[in-house]
């Protein structure tokens, strides 16, 4: 079937609608003779899409029906709490009490009892002075990096950091040095090269690409030696590692340190949505008063905040679930390695499997999907080292029999 955009579009019934669409597409964008037509602009977008398709980088939205039968090794519901009865019941009560949305930003009308109760619970769990909830983990990271970057600040960022941390460094306007992945010596060298300057070491705890754990204790020691702060995105560790699931920072013995700021999403092990920034009370106050992605964003819906609060309580006593995750991750590594595949050694619940290239990764993931197994498909530019991967996220909520069958499917569909 031909693309209607290439025929000038169709704005409504009859000939007039089509003529209107064609007139609009010939409109010049820009001033004078240097402008381009809308048709030129759209054609350029089509050419870019064709180039992405040739490189195996096309991305498509795949709608998921409620209760589908796919074995989920792609979503981030690590502890299986998204549909836990206590979580959904708490969300339902708040939905009835507050309505669908927060109706405003946190500083206007968006702060509810549900938000403040969640923040208190998160601060206690993380061992921080104070916690602040955002509508997404992405926005939390943007706010944290920008708030830490003062005039002359040097940001030292790990090469495998998540896009939200990378974007935070970019929009902060601060000088950023990208160091090789998990290379403490490189971080020390970058800090030593800028004596007397304020600096922040920026890292994930469990990295989202390969599931490996950053050397947080050594990074903190180097940062403290040079008078730098440490910012840790605990998104893939919160609920999965550490005492009572308090995350990678707590596991490294750094919870509550005054020179450590922690961020995390609430959409992974906690099964909800939103993000959090936690740290010294003075820093959180600074974010509230200056953070643009906090001040100007509509608050997280109260029902989600209440559901996540219930999930925090369950996660804190979920040692059996964490043990199951660790056992399944080890099983996945054994089975896939035995089949001749190149597999990461996970420190959390993320296992990556190397694919020959982006097109092979896409086909591999599609074949698995056709056989009832959903897996993540990571390709450049989403990967920091130009390698394509299948990313498996281990979930305790997936029945064990289905999980083992899914591993067999991945092997059978391998290119």
């Amino acid at each position: 079937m031909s693309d209607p955009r290439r025929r000038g579009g169709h704005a409504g019934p009859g000939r007039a609608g089509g003529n209107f669409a064609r007139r609009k597409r010939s409109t010049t964008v820009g001033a004078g003779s240097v402008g381009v037509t809308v048709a030129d602009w759209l054609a350029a977008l089509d050419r870019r899409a064709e180039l992405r398709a040739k490189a195996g980088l096309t991305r498509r939205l795949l709608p998921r029906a409620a209760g589908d039968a796919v074995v989920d090794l792609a979503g981030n519901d690590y502890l299986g709490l998204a549909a836990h009865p206590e979580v959904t019941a708490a969300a339902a009560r708040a939905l009835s009490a507050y309505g669908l949305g927060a109706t405003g930003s946190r500083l206007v009308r968006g702060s509810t009892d549900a938000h403040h109760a969640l923040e208190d619970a998160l601060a206690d769990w993380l061992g921080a002075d104070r916690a602040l909830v955002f509508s997404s983990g992405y926005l939390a990271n943007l706010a944290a990096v920008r708030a830490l970057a003062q005039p002359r600040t040097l940001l030292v960022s790990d090469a495998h950091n998540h896009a939200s941390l990378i974007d935070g460094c970019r929009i902060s306007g601060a000088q950023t040095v990208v160091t090789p992945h998990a290379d403490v010596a490189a971080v020390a060298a970058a800090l030593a090269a800028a004596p007397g300057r304020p600096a922040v070491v920026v890292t994930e705890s469990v990295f989202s690409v390969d599931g490996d754990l950053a050397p947080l204790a050594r990074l903190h020691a180097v940062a403290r030696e040079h008078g730098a702060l440490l910012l840790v995105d605990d998104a893939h560790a919160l609920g999965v590692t550490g005492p009572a699931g308090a995350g990678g920072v707590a596991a490294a013995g750094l919870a509550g340190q005054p020179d450590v700021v922690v961020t995390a999403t609430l959409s992974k092990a906690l099964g909800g949505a939103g993000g959090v920034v936690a740290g010294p009370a003075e820093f959180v106050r600074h974010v509230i008063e200056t953070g643009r992605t906090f001040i100007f964003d509509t608050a997280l819906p109260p029902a989600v905040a209440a559901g996540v609060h219930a999930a925090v309580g369950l996660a804190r006593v979920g040692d059996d679930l964490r043990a199951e995750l660790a056992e399944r991750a080890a099983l996945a590594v054994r089975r896939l390695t035995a089949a001749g595949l190149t597999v990461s050694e996970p420190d959390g619940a993320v296992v990556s499997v190397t694919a020959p290239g982006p097109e092979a990764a896409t086909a591999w993931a599609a074949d698995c999907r056709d056989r009832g197994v959903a897996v993540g498909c990571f390709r450049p530019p989403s990967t920091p080292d130009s390698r394509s991967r299948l990313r498996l996220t281990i979930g305790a909520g997936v029945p064990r029999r289905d999980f083992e069958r899914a591993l067999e499917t991945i092997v059978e569909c391998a290119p």
Side-chain angles (χ1 to χ4, degrees):
M1 181 180 293
S2 63
D3 187 341
R5 293 177 299 171
R6 301 183 187 278
R7 303 196 306 274
H10 183 65
R15 188 171 179 178
N19 289 338
F20 174 77
R22 282 191 289 274
R23 288 198 303 273
K24 292 297 286 184
R25 288 175 182 270
S26 65
T27 299
T28 298
V29 179
S33 61
V34 298
V36 297
T37 66
V38 173
D40 292 335
W41 170 60
L42 294 175
L45 295 182
D46 278 342
R47 286 195 294 274
R48 293 182 185 181
E50 290 167 1
L51 291 173
R52 289 194 298 271
K54 289 180 180 178
L57 300 179
T58 297
R59 287 171 165 80
R60 294 183 177 87
L61 296 174
L62 299 174
R64 173 170 63 91
D68 68 359
V70 171
V71 180
D72 187 4
L73 270 64
N76 295 312
D77 187 17
Y78 292 129
L79 302 180
L81 299 180
H84 191 284
E86 292 184 31
V87 172
T88 56
R93 289 193 297 270
L95 180 65
S96 178
Y98 291 104
L100 181 61
T103 75
S105 67
R106 291 290 305 276
L107 292 173
V108 181
R109 287 282 291 170
S111 283
T112 67
D113 293 342
H115 293 89
H116 287 265
L118 173 58
E119 287 166 344
D120 289 345
L122 287 168
D124 182 66
W125 192 21
L126 294 168
D129 286 352
R130 191 173 178 186
L132 186 66
V133 167
F134 287 70
S135 63
S136 77
Y138 209 108
L139 295 182
N141 273 346
L142 296 184
V145 177
R146 189 172 183 274
L148 288 166
Q150 304 304 315
R152 297 183 61 249
T153 296
L154 174 69
L155 301 175
V156 182
S157 179
D158 190 283
H160 283 205
N161 276 343
H162 188 266
S164 55
L165 292 174
I166 295 170
D167 287 352
C169 292
R170 289 173 177 170
I171 68 170
S172 74
Q175 180 187 357
T176 301
V177 174
V178 179
T179 52
H181 178 51
D183 189 334
V184 179
V187 172
L191 294 173
R197 287 181 61 180
V200 183
V201 177
V202 182
T203 185
E204 296 181 54
S205 52
V206 171
F207 285 90
S208 58
V209 176
D210 287 328
D212 56 318
L213 182 65
L216 293 179
R218 289 189 291 142
L219 286 174
H220 179 254
V222 165
R224 180 167 285 185
E225 178 184 351
H226 292 275
L229 302 174
L230 178 64
L231 171 62
V232 181
D233 180 354
D234 234 352
H236 287 276
L238 186 63
V240 175
T241 64
V249 171
L254 303 178
Q257 291 295 317
D259 51 357
V260 177
V261 172
V262 181
T263 65
T265 62
L266 309 176
S267 58
K268 295 181 172 39
L270 297 177
V276 62
V277 173
E282 297 86 348
F283 176 71
V284 173
R285 179 185 63 200
H286 178 69
V287 175
I288 292 172
E289 295 179 355
T290 67
R292 293 173 67 86
T293 61
F294 177 80
I295 296 170
F296 298 105
D297 185 50
T298 298
L300 186 73
V304 177
V308 171
H309 188 186
V312 169
L314 294 166
R316 295 185 74 162
V317 296
D319 286 346
D320 55 337
L321 296 175
R322 283 181 280 278
E324 178 68 16
L325 286 182
E327 184 179 330
R328 290 189 185 194
L331 174 62
V333 171
R334 290 197 304 272
R335 291 274 182 91
L336 299 176
T337 301
L341 300 173
T342 302
V343 185
S344 65
E345 289 288 343
D347 291 300
V350 175
V351 177
S352 77
V353 190
T354 300
E359 292 181 343
T362 303
W364 193 358
D367 289 345
C368 289
R369 177 83 183 196
D370 289 343
R371 295 182 57 175
V373 177
V375 296
C377 179
F378 275 32
R379 301 158 291 166
S382 298
T383 57
D385 54 8
S386 300
R387 284 196 298 128
S388 296
R389 301 162 169 82
L390 293 192
R391 191 185 75 166
L392 318 181
T393 48
I394 313 301
V398 175
R400 181 63 176 256
R401 182 176 179 180
D402 290 345
F403 174 71
E404 295 187 10
R405 177 176 64 82
L407 295 179
E408 294 173 4
T409 299
I410 292 166
V411 170
E412 292 167 359
C413 294

